[in-house]
Amino acid sequence: LKGWHINSQGYKMIYCPEHPNASNGRYIREHILITERILGRYLKSGETIHHINEIKTDNNPENLYLFSSASKHNRYHQRQRTNSKHFKPITQSNLSTYR
């Protein structure tokens, strides 16, 4: 396959063999490429992108939120699952702060 496909986890994968983090040396998740283009750099180790509306193929920048670590992203989802009284859902992207 070249071009793009949807992987088994439901993410849109783009053929990008030159990317240093391409899986199997060829494909990278589209939301990573979009975020990196906005940031003007590759993602740092641990940085994780969250789809605000939970639709993994909706890679519009307005639907992407950058967490500085996987643990922060996991904590967000844990609070979401437990309906913590301190839980505030993410409703807008933080990527504009990086532009």
Side-chain angles (χ1 to χ4, degrees), residues 48-75:
T48 305
I49 304 160
H50 170 73
H51 287 83
I52 295 169
N53 67 6
E54 304 287 335
I55 299 171
K56 295 175 182 178
T57 54
D58 182 353
N59 295 316
N60 291 309
E62 298 80 24
N63 188 46
L64 303 176
Y65 187 92
L66 180 65
F67 281 95
S68 59
S69 70
S71 64
K72 288 182 180 179
H73 185 219
N74 291 336
R75 198 171 318 130

Side-chain angles (χ1 to χ4, degrees), residues 14-66:
I14 305 296
Y15 183 72
C16 192
E18 70 280 1
H19 195 286
N21 298 317
S23 63
N24 299 322
R26 297 182 304 226
Y27 288 88
I28 190 83
R29 293 175 179 184
E30 183 182 51
H31 62 277
I32 292 174
L33 291 174
I34 290 168
T35 300
E36 289 177 340
R37 194 173 308 130
I38 291 168
L39 298 175
R41 62 168 174 81
Y42 294 122
L43 290 183
K44 295 176 185 172
S45 178
E47 287 183 323
T48 305
I49 304 160
H50 170 73
H51 287 83
I52 295 169
N53 67 6
E54 304 287 335
I55 299 171
K56 295 175 182 178
T57 54
D58 182 353
N59 295 316
N60 291 309
E62 298 80 24
N63 188 46
L64 303 176
Y65 187 92
L66 180 65

Side-chain angles (χ1 to χ4, degrees), residues 72-88:
K72 288 182 180 179
H73 185 219
N74 291 336
R75 198 171 318 130
Y76 172 82
H77 282 291
Q78 181 62 34
R79 287 181 181 148
Q80 183 182 39
R81 281 190 293 275
T82 60
N83 288 320
S84 165
K85 67 179 183 177
H86 301 292
F87 176 72
K88 291 185 179 149

Side-chain angles (χ1 to χ4, degrees), residues 1-20:
L1 289 175
K2 289 194 178 183
W4 66 273
H5 68 275
I6 304 297
N7 73 4
S8 60
Q9 289 89 35
Y11 292 100
K12 187 173 182 182
M13 304 296 290
I14 305 296
Y15 183 72
C16 192
E18 70 280 1
H19 195 286

